[in-house]
Amino acid sequence: MGASLVCIGALAAKPSIAAEMGCPVVPPPISLPEPSEDSTLIADEASLQDDVAEATGNVRLERNGQALEAPFVRYNRSSGRAQARDGLQYYRPGIYLTADNGDVQIDDETGNFNTATYSVITNGGRGKAGTVTALGGGAYELTDADYSTCEGETKAWLLSAERIELDRESGRGEAFNSVMRFYGVPVFYTPYLNFPIDDKRHTGVLPPTIGSSSDSGFELAVPYYINIAPNYDATIVPRVLADRGLQLGGQFRYLHEHHRGEFDGEYLPSDSEYGDDRSLFHFEHIGRFNEHVGIEANYTKVSDDQYFDDLSTDLARTSTSQLERAARLTLADTGVRFTVLAQDFQTLDDIQDEDDDNFDRAFSNDPYTRVPQARLEMLSPTAPFRAGLNAEFTNFKRDDDIDAYRLEAQPRLLWGVDQGGWYANSEASYRLTRYSLRGFDDAPDFALSDVGDDDVITREIPQFSAETGLRFARTFNDGWVQTLEPRMQYLYTGYEDQSDIPIFDSGVADLHFDRLFADNRFVGTDRIGDANQLTLGVTSRFIAPESGRTVAKLDLGRVTGFRDLRVNLPNSGEVGYGDRGSDYVAGVELRPTENITARTTVQYDPDDSRINRAIASASYQTDSGYQLDLAYRRYRDYRPQREVTVVGDDIQSQVVPGEYESLEQTAVGVRAPITGNLDVLGRWNYSLERSQNVETLAGFEYRPSCCWAGRVAWRRYVADDDGSFDTAIMFQFVLNGLGQFGDTVQSFVDNDVYNEDDRGRSSSSSFDTIRFP
């Protein structure tokens, strides 16, 4: 077990208000010369007197990588001054000018141009100006000027200003006393505007977010980005919520060679709807001190349980019920890994336990803190026999409940061989666990008799597993390859009565094909499932000859037990295992073309002849932008049922003993380019179990030209535990090369249709949604 720690990632550029450049500039009609200190003057006629040359006709002057063309040019070779009239063209790296006349200092790249048109080659910026003054060093000052990135005589958007300053070195432009016109119609005035003229990170205003929701009314947020250094940046976000007040948010990010992280915060004083101050703070860090020692940390805190319900437009955040605060230190070397974890949670889901069964709190979204948890993993490098040890110490704490020290050691002996066409491995281990329970006086609903009148519980469980598998492959006449991979595992886990052990970190995992071969049907350590079982499974793949793409993959497996299972998790609503084995688990993944993908997993209970779990998704995408996504999922006994009670503004939910919720949802997502300029998109999540919409979204994107686009989306979604809805409208107006105004529609559209996490049933929300890509 070799290990080293690395810190990866980069400080990504914040989206500039020139996140998209404008229309490409037509190549100037004159060529750009190679840089040279020599002066070259070409003309139909020319005369020279006292280092002053006068040229007429088709005149071209080249020097220092600049070109000047005009019908008349007077050039002083000693001073480097060139005067042109009767219509000139001036071209230097990054900018092209035409003007009635001009006076240029060729050596220091300064000068004045009258009645000019200009093009900024780097970002498509272009416009007209009464005068253009070249200040040197790539800086220009324009008076009575306009600016746009749109091509053609009629500009979709045009910024007219008393004065515009462009600085190619800093990559910024500034406009003073300016008016924005959209197809010739004035839409707003600003005394000052700062905008980028390249695609680098810049300090300045980011795209404002404009929207409206039924929960907060009209919303406007104007982020200001500060590019502190190449490895530091910050963002300040004032946000106006019409029905709530003024919120101030911010973010600071840092990046070093082996460390990166960020701080985020929001503060809303005196929320008019909520009646109190509201805040959020978040910190995260990942790094390493050397190749063997790494650290991770994160911390999140909000002022109240309804913070995300009221102030977030992100559906994933509105269903958040736990905020983690954790720090993990890892030391790793060949064959050894040692981790120390301190972990706490802020629980946002207020569940009242009126039942005398104290185990219900294990499913109330109120997890135990671990302060600390220390874990040691050791494995010898020898082969085929290897010796190992897993050891762990955890201090569990929770307010108003029983606490415990848990100490576990698991010595292991492993053997394995892999010959390509077949493999075999086995493992023998012995788990020794000791619980030291405490805090009975702080747990009013917990008595010593609940744990067998003993505050020390020990457990010793032997375990043995042996697995083998074959790998067959055959090639058809047309080059297609089919594999057949049968797999078999025998697992023995000794039985010990664990009913007196409180639930600190255990749950029931979703059952899928690979999970059939796990050494414990539970997650966590408080329950070690007894087993005397044989697992049989088979996988087959079909591989295309030319692309090497796996066109189809099929899995089928089941656990068969030789004795009745006796270890259970109280009130878990456990599905997947009967008395003598597991459900059948089948999985199919299809990719018949590069554009079509389909996946399904089915968990079938042969004893009751019913499907306990089913997940299916299909996606069709074309190169032209069409996309259709369909998804379905069903979980039987998904989690303990809760009753939600609303008393005024207070929402409470209570576990209903012995009752469980099922989850059944569908999702449909579409994206279609109606024309070359218009895309429509939509998403619909529906709960079949509750007969209600979970989320409905519809929107479109209109791109009539290369210099502007508009996006609008309407969204209605479940926003609270009581099933109440919120409605929001998001609007984005993009002026390529200048900025964008409104929420980023893509930010809440581009999610996964379904993310199949292997997690316990203690899920965070009764409205978990199928997410849409």
Side-chain angles (χ1 to χ4, degrees):
M1 181 177 64
S4 63
L5 299 171
V6 295
C7 178
I8 60 175
L11 192 62
K14 276 285 186 176
S16 165
I17 56 173
E20 301 175 67
M21 295 291 99
C23 303
V25 173
V26 176
I30 65 175
S31 60
L32 193 65
E34 294 294 328
S36 174
E37 296 183 358
D38 297 329
S39 299
T40 301
L41 182 65
I42 302 172
D44 293 340
E45 297 182 8
S47 62
L48 179 65
Q49 183 176 0
D50 297 331
D51 279 343
V52 176
E54 289 191 359
T56 58
N58 296 313
V59 184
R60 178 179 172 91
L61 174 63
E62 298 179 358
R63 182 175 171 83
N64 291 338
Q66 305 165 75
L68 176 67
E69 293 186 4
F72 174 85
V73 174
R74 177 182 289 112
Y75 176 57
N76 189 320
R77 293 190 304 174
S78 60
S79 65
R81 181 184 181 188
Q83 297 169 287
R85 64 171 185 258
D86 302 331
L88 65 86
Q89 301 179 82
Y90 175 67
Y91 190 16
R92 57 153 296 175
I95 196 163
Y96 169 72
L97 289 164
T98 66
D100 285 353
N101 55 75
D103 191 336
V104 186
Q105 287 295 132
I106 298 293
D107 291 342
D108 57 13
E109 302 175 352
T110 62
N112 296 285
F113 304 87
N114 298 312
T115 315
T117 64
Y118 68 94
S119 298
V120 182
I121 309 300
T122 53
N123 76 327
R126 66 203 79 192
K128 299 178 180 179
T131 62
V132 175
T133 301
L135 305 175
Y140 299 87
E141 182 178 272
L142 296 72
T143 60
D144 297 327
D146 56 45
Y147 177 86
S148 179
T149 61
C150 301
E151 57 189 359
E153 287 297 321
T154 302
K155 311 294 186 186
W157 65 267
L158 186 71
L159 185 69
S160 301
E162 181 181 298
R163 187 172 90 254
I164 296 177
E165 296 179 1
L166 305 176
D167 189 341
R168 293 188 61 245
E169 183 174 343
S170 68
R172 304 299 300 178
E174 295 176 289
F176 301 87
N177 292 326
S178 56
V179 175
M180 172 63 69
R181 289 180 169 84
F182 190 67
Y183 285 106
V185 178
V187 291
F188 74 86
Y189 163 82
T190 176
Y192 175 78
L193 182 66
N194 188 302
F195 57 93
I197 58 174
D198 60 23
D199 57 357
K200 299 176 183 177
R201 284 171 38 192
H202 293 292
T203 296
V205 178
L206 293 177
T209 297
I210 304 172
S212 179
S213 70
S214 56
D215 212 27
S216 299
F218 173 78
E219 299 182 21
L220 172 64
V222 184
Y224 186 80
Y225 176 69
I226 305 172
N227 185 26
I228 301 172
N231 61 329
Y232 295 99
D233 65 9
T235 307
I236 300 173
V237 188
R239 179 186 180 195
V240 176
L241 302 111
D243 294 343
R244 296 184 180 275
L246 176 63
Q247 181 189 68
L248 182 64
Q251 179 190 72
F252 172 76
R253 302 190 302 172
Y254 59 89
L255 173 67
H256 297 282
E257 183 178 2
H258 300 300
H259 297 270
R260 61 181 171 89
E262 67 178 62
F263 294 87
D264 301 272
E266 296 174 352
Y267 180 67
L268 174 61
S270 302
D271 185 332
S272 301
E273 292 288 325
Y274 186 75
D276 202 352
D277 297 348
R278 312 188 76 179
S279 61
L280 173 148
F281 176 77
H282 171 74
F283 164 73
E284 62 182 56
H285 175 90
I286 182 171
R288 66 171 188 172
F289 300 105
N290 56 51
E291 63 179 354
H292 300 299
V293 182
I295 187 171
E296 297 175 75
N298 66 82
Y299 181 92
T300 305
K301 177 180 174 59
V302 293
S303 56
D304 56 88
D305 292 350
Q306 285 76 46
Y307 188 90
F308 294 119
D309 294 340
D310 295 343
L311 299 175
S312 175
T313 58
D314 182 352
L315 182 62
R317 297 301 295 273
T318 56
S319 62
T320 297
S321 65
Q322 297 164 1
L323 303 178
E324 185 185 25
R325 301 93 173 265
R328 177 183 286 106
L329 183 69
T330 303
L331 295 85
D333 204 345
T334 302
V336 181
R337 180 166 56 208
F338 179 69
T339 59
V340 178
L341 170 69
Q343 184 184 52
D344 188 12
F345 296 89
Q346 180 183 2
T347 299
L348 306 183
D349 191 4
D350 183 19
I351 293 184
Q352 305 294 319
D353 183 13
E354 294 184 346
D355 184 24
D356 291 336
D357 188 346
N358 299 286
F359 292 110
D360 278 348
R361 283 199 66 184
F363 305 95
S364 66
N365 298 325
D366 186 14
Y368 272 89
T369 64
R370 291 184 272 189
V371 282
Q373 179 182 78
R375 182 171 179 82
L376 174 66
E377 300 168 87
M378 302 175 65
L379 189 62
S380 67
T382 58
F385 289 97
R386 309 176 76 182
L389 172 68
N390 292 343
E392 179 185 295
F393 168 80
T394 307
N395 177 22
F396 291 105
K397 298 187 67 175
R398 185 163 67 183
D399 292 341
D400 301 324
D401 210 340
I402 190 73
D403 299 333
Y405 297 116
R406 187 179 70 196
L407 179 63
E408 180 171 73
Q410 183 184 15
R412 308 159 61 207
L413 184 63
L414 300 90
W415 172 86
V417 62
D418 193 329
Q419 294 297 323
W422 65 275
Y423 69 91
N425 55 66
S426 63
E427 177 179 343
S429 65
Y430 199 81
R431 305 185 73 147
L432 302 97
T433 314
R434 175 187 171 92
Y435 290 84
S436 297
L437 307 179
R438 66 189 193 281
F440 293 96
D441 293 339
D442 297 327
D445 297 323
F446 207 105
L448 191 60
S449 59
D450 294 325
V451 292
D453 295 321
D454 194 351
D455 60 357
V456 175
I457 301 174
T458 60
R459 182 183 64 191
E460 298 181 16
I461 298 178
Q463 188 171 71
F464 173 77
S465 67
E467 182 178 351
T468 186
L470 301 173
R471 304 184 182 105
F472 299 105
R474 63 174 176 173
T475 303
F476 297 95
N477 292 334
D478 56 3
W480 281 76
V481 176
Q482 180 191 6
T483 69
L484 187 66
E485 305 162 51
R487 184 177 173 186
M488 178 176 66
Q489 181 202 60
Y490 172 75
L491 175 66
Y492 172 82
T493 304
Y495 167 75
E496 183 165 341
D497 183 6
Q498 302 166 54
S499 59
D500 289 342
I501 300 176
I503 303 302
F504 297 104
D505 64 355
S506 289
V508 179
D510 291 338
L511 193 60
H512 51 74
F513 180 76
D514 290 333
R515 186 74 198 173
L516 294 173
F517 296 86
D519 61 2
N520 186 12
R521 63 181 178 272
F522 304 101
V523 293
T525 305
D526 301 319
R527 291 294 183 271
I528 305 299
D530 58 317
N532 184 10
Q533 65 189 39
L534 183 69
T535 304
L536 297 176
V538 62
T539 298
S540 183
R541 309 169 202 265
F542 293 86
I543 302 171
E546 296 181 358
S547 64
R549 182 179 73 252
T550 299
V551 175
K553 177 186 174 186
L554 299 88
D555 296 316
L556 177 63
R558 189 199 182 204
V559 175
T560 300
F562 302 119
R563 69 183 184 196
D564 290 348
L565 301 178
R566 302 171 65 184
V567 177
N568 292 304
L569 193 67
N571 294 323
S572 66
E574 179 181 347
V575 294
Y577 285 89
D579 292 337
R580 287 295 184 95
S582 74
D583 295 348
Y584 285 97
V585 178
V588 178
E589 182 173 340
L590 302 175
R591 195 177 176 187
T593 70
E594 292 289 348
N595 305 110
I596 299 175
T597 302
R599 299 181 181 90
T600 185
T601 298
V602 176
Q603 183 179 320
Y604 176 75
D605 182 355
D607 296 333
D608 295 324
S609 300
R610 65 186 178 190
I611 294 176
N612 283 330
R613 178 171 173 257
I615 307 164
S617 66
S619 177
Y620 173 72
Q621 302 180 54
T622 68
D623 295 337
S624 58
Y626 288 94
Q627 181 174 336
L628 172 65
D629 295 280
L630 305 172
Y632 168 85
R633 69 176 179 176
R634 171 175 172 78
Y635 290 87
R636 180 177 164 270
D637 287 1
Y638 175 65
R639 47 168 264 174
Q641 184 173 322
R642 298 182 298 173
E643 288 185 350
V644 177
T645 304
V646 181
V647 180
D649 295 331
D650 187 25
I651 301 174
Q652 296 181 347
S653 54
Q654 302 168 342
V655 173
V656 180
E659 299 293 331
Y660 304 96
E661 295 180 2
S662 293
L663 177 73
E664 188 173 15
Q665 295 180 342
T666 60
V668 179
V670 294
R671 187 193 305 268
I674 302 301
T675 67
N677 299 328
L678 179 65
D679 286 3
V680 298
L681 56 91
R683 178 171 74 224
W684 179 42
N685 287 0
Y686 184 78
S687 171
L688 298 172
E689 187 71 23
R690 294 174 176 266
S691 299
Q692 74 171 143
N693 292 328
V694 176
E695 181 192 28
T696 305
L697 182 144
F700 68 86
E701 177 179 74
Y702 181 56
R703 303 177 305 276
S705 75
C706 52
C707 72
W708 79 276
R711 301 181 181 118
V712 177
W714 172 88
R715 180 175 176 232
R716 179 174 170 80
Y717 60 99
V718 174
D720 214 332
D721 284 341
D722 62 352
S724 61
F725 282 86
D726 194 4
T727 302
I729 296 176
M730 278 67 79
F731 170 78
Q732 185 181 57
F733 188 66
V734 180
L735 307 180
N736 291 348
L738 182 69
Q740 58 189 26
F741 303 88
D743 201 2
T744 304
V745 175
Q746 303 299 113
S747 66
F748 60 83
V749 173
D750 292 338
N751 300 310
D752 296 333
V753 167
Y754 181 67
N755 184 26
E756 187 174 354
D757 293 328
D758 181 16
R759 60 187 179 184
R761 291 293 171 81
S762 53
S763 179
S764 61
S765 172
S766 57
F767 299 103
D768 283 354
T769 58
I770 303 173
R771 297 184 300 159
F772 170 74

